[in-house]
Amino acid sequence: MERTVRQYLLEPLLARNPITVQALGICSALAVTVGLRPSLLMAVAVIAVCGFANAAISLIRTRIPTSIRLIVQIVVIATFVVVVDELLKAYAPETSKRLSVYVFLIVTNCIVLARVESVAMNKPVWPSFVDGIGSGLGYGLVLAIVGSIRELLGAGSLLDEPVFVTAANGGWYEPVGLFRLAPSAFFIIGLLIWAGHRFAKPEDAPGTGQR
Amino acid sequence: MNDYLALFLQAAFSENIMLVFFLGICTAIATSKSMEAALGAGVAIFVVQSVTVPLNSLLNTYLFRPGALEWAGLPEIDLSGLGLIASIGVIAATVQLLEMVVDKHFPRLYNAFGVFLPLITVNCAILGGSLFSIQRNYDLVESTVFGIGSGAGWALAVILLAGIRDKLRYADVPKGLEGTGITFIVMGLMAMSFMGLSGIYAS
């Protein structure tokens, strides 16, 4: 079945969400979500890398020898990651410090490699680009949700702006320290996967569909 | 000596690379379905991690850090933009070499690794370990200890996870939470218990 460009963009948001439905790219999704701001920045970085790496690979897809295609793909992805990292260092130095090594780890993010391998290697440039952006958006959506929950409950703020006045500042809200620590991210993602299964297309559920 | 022991315990338990820094989770979820696969992946990660982390930290010290080329008389050349691609190259090459050596000299171990050894090239725990040791400026001994500790920690976590998932088959998990979902909840609980081990080296 041929998918339209619109489907390429919108399907990864819910029906084929890379994190909740296909269980890809989870590592970085958990690590950067202590606050909403690093989550959004990370999402933008992944969207950019995913879109442009897809487009670039799609441009040269007929010229890549099959035997070394993984190496070519990884080098192309790594190049875009280095570019994104330099841009982040220049325009958002504070947040880029909070993201630390996780920007570099986009290289090994399975979402990017999965899109490149399954779409960019056999589709023209425009659908590949849109597919990369769509997958990035689906990833970003989950990141934004997890980031909001953790920052709101863990620090009583959103985007570093106070929403609930915390007890330390004379307010009523006692921040739940657990939400700033690692375990909470696991719990929230676990529950989101549960919720995400409602929207999943059956053939894409983990264990039954393609990876 | 005490510092190195502390670093090892920190890397293996209280800052476990899987449960606290969320690295290598995709692999962990895929391999913890069976104990055998978890053992193979755990040992493979442990071996590759212990080799690549010190290697990458060495390369960074003498090639890619800003001003690192001073020993060659070129202090003004900054190759740090190439560091990431070089790290990946080192990992890919190490995995390839290791595969050949293990295949030749330890065929039983090779069979235990199965498909996991080549897949490790794109594992974020390996790349993440190298990047952490570079970012924290570990010297050669420290990065060796860190590599061994974090590799051992990952292996321990994935083997424990496989054991727990084995028991979970007899549990009545809500539909929809089965499989990946409940695995995350279990990992969250494991992360809490691993964090509980922080502070044991305070001396």
Side-chain angles (χ1 to χ4, degrees), chain B residues 181-196:
Chain B
I182 192 69
T183 310
F184 271 100
I185 311 272
V186 168
M187 284 170 114
L189 293 170
M190 281 173 69
M192 286 175 89
S193 59
F194 268 66
M195 282 178 140

Side-chain angles (χ1 to χ4, degrees), chain B residues 85-97:
Chain B
I85 297 176
S87 298
I88 298 169
V90 167
I91 292 169
T94 312
V95 169
Q96 201 90 64
L97 270 177

Side-chain angles (χ1 to χ4, degrees), chain A residues 74-136:
Chain A
I74 289 178
V75 170
V76 169
I77 296 170
T79 313
F80 282 108
V81 169
V82 172
V83 171
V84 165
D85 182 59
E86 295 291 324
L87 284 175
L88 285 184
K89 271 185 194 148
Y91 292 104
E94 282 304 308
T95 320
S96 122
K97 223 171 270 166
R98 270 162 80 183
L99 290 176
S100 76
V101 302
Y102 291 99
V103 175
F104 277 159
L105 287 173
I106 297 176
V107 177
T108 53
N109 190 317
C110 2
I111 296 176
V112 184
L113 204 60
R115 294 336 285 174
V116 166
E117 177 74 12
S118 67
V119 177
M121 285 305 284
N122 38 41
K123 290 274 162 30
V125 176
W126 178 241
S128 304
F129 181 71
V130 176
D131 177 86
I133 301 281
S135 291

